[in-house]
Amino acid sequence: SQTIHQWPATLVQPVGSPLSLECTVEGTSNPNLYWYRQAAGRGLQLLFYSVGIGQISSEVPQNLSASRPQDRQFILSSKKLLLSDSGFYLCAWTSSYNSPLHFGNGTRLTVT
Amino acid sequence: DQQVKQNSPSLSVQEGRISILNCDYTNSMFDYFLWYKKYPAEGPTFLISISSIKDKNEDGRFTVFLNKSAKHLSLHIVPSQPGDSAVYFCAASENTYNAGNNRKLIWGLGTSLGVNP
């Protein structure tokens, strides 16, 4: 069966520090991969999606970036965090066009 | 502009009764709708979906109804159980291809359901 791993579960980082969140999927090949963010009191916002290695599409202009160095690995990064980057970050995958998204357990990021 | 709206931020129901969660949308091009359930500090979990070619889809205690003319869908949970207490998100997407086989979802803000024993 397919599983998605996302880490760390919680992270507290000072403003201006770098960020790296990692997500891996097991049990499937060539998944579509997604990074979402849920800010306090708001809905899920799509940040990036990828349909293959090295293929990244950005939905929202920001100081975050994403990379997909391997088929089942998706990384969310920032060179310098802002206070506004605080939130709950979720990685998700789907196998095909009409398949539901499957989410990891998320990372709670607090920028201080 | 919120294309998917869940107008009730919270809902409280007695155990054993029916829970009805509502969702309205504005984009007539949406053709695929999903409901997700989310517990605190966890990612959302897929619950049930419906395509626009149907008006009802049932899975155990969960039934989703779609009214295309009213641009409205609802999730019915019967009977409600305390373990159903969670935030429920409605999501929708339209039949657009973007960079391959991607389908992007538009999410509502969620409804927090509390089921009282």
Side-chain angles (χ1 to χ4, degrees):
Chain A
S1 64
Q2 302 91 355
T3 55
I4 180 169
H5 301 280
Q6 189 180 343
W7 67 93
T10 59
L11 191 59
V12 180
Q13 292 282 99
V15 167
S17 63
L19 173 73
S20 181
L21 302 180
E22 189 163 341
C23 170
T24 59
V25 180
E26 296 178 357
T28 187
S29 59
N30 197 31
N32 292 337
L33 296 172
Y34 304 79
W35 278 111
Y36 278 88
R37 175 172 61 198
Q38 184 181 21
R42 305 191 65 177
L44 289 166
Q45 180 186 37
L46 178 63
L47 301 175
F48 301 94
Y49 65 90
S50 170
V51 298
I53 296 174
Q55 300 178 60
I56 309 293
S57 295
S58 173
E59 289 297 298
V60 183
Q62 60 216 329
N63 70 322
L64 299 171
S65 62
S67 62
R68 184 170 178 174
Q70 300 181 47
D71 181 45
R72 289 167 289 177
Q73 184 185 28
F74 206 23
I75 297 172
L76 182 69
S77 304
S78 174
K79 292 182 179 177
K80 289 185 178 182
L81 284 169
L82 306 173
L83 285 174
S84 57
D85 292 324
S86 293
F88 191 50
Y89 288 82
L90 290 157
C91 181
W93 73 275
T94 183
S95 61
S96 67
Y97 179 72
N98 264 340
S99 297
L101 284 168
H102 302 278
F103 287 88
N105 280 335
T107 295
R108 172 72 59 191
L109 172 67
T110 304
V111 182
T112 60
Chain B
D1 178 35
Q2 196 76 19
Q3 295 187 67
V4 176
K5 300 178 184 178
Q6 295 178 255
N7 292 319
S8 298
S10 63
L11 177 67
S12 184
V13 170
Q14 207 64 29
E15 181 178 5
R17 298 288 188 96
I18 183 172
S19 295
I20 300 177
L21 297 104
N22 293 304
C23 179
D24 297 295
Y25 61 95
T26 58
N27 188 344
S28 58
M29 298 299 291
F30 286 150
D31 66 345
Y32 185 53
F33 305 88
L34 307 93
W35 285 94
Y36 280 79
K37 178 169 75 172
K38 184 183 180 302
Y39 294 116
E42 292 184 9
T45 303
F46 170 70
L47 207 53
I48 193 169
S49 65
I50 188 167
S51 163
S52 60
I53 62 174
K54 294 185 176 181
D55 54 19
K56 176 183 174 181
N57 189 25
E58 191 171 353
D59 183 2
R61 295 186 297 114
F62 303 92
T63 303
V64 56
F65 295 92
L66 175 62
N67 183 333
K68 290 185 287 294
S69 61
K71 295 191 180 69
H72 176 84
L73 66 156
S74 60
L75 174 68
H76 293 212
I77 306 174
V78 183
S80 301
Q81 300 173 355
D84 296 329
S85 298
V87 176
Y88 289 78
F89 288 98
C90 170
S93 69
E94 60 180 280
N95 186 17
T96 57
Y97 283 91
N98 193 336
N101 59 343
N102 172 61
R103 182 191 271 272
K104 293 187 289 183
L105 294 177
I106 307 299
W107 296 79
L109 296 183
T111 295
S112 178
L113 172 66
V115 180
N116 305 312

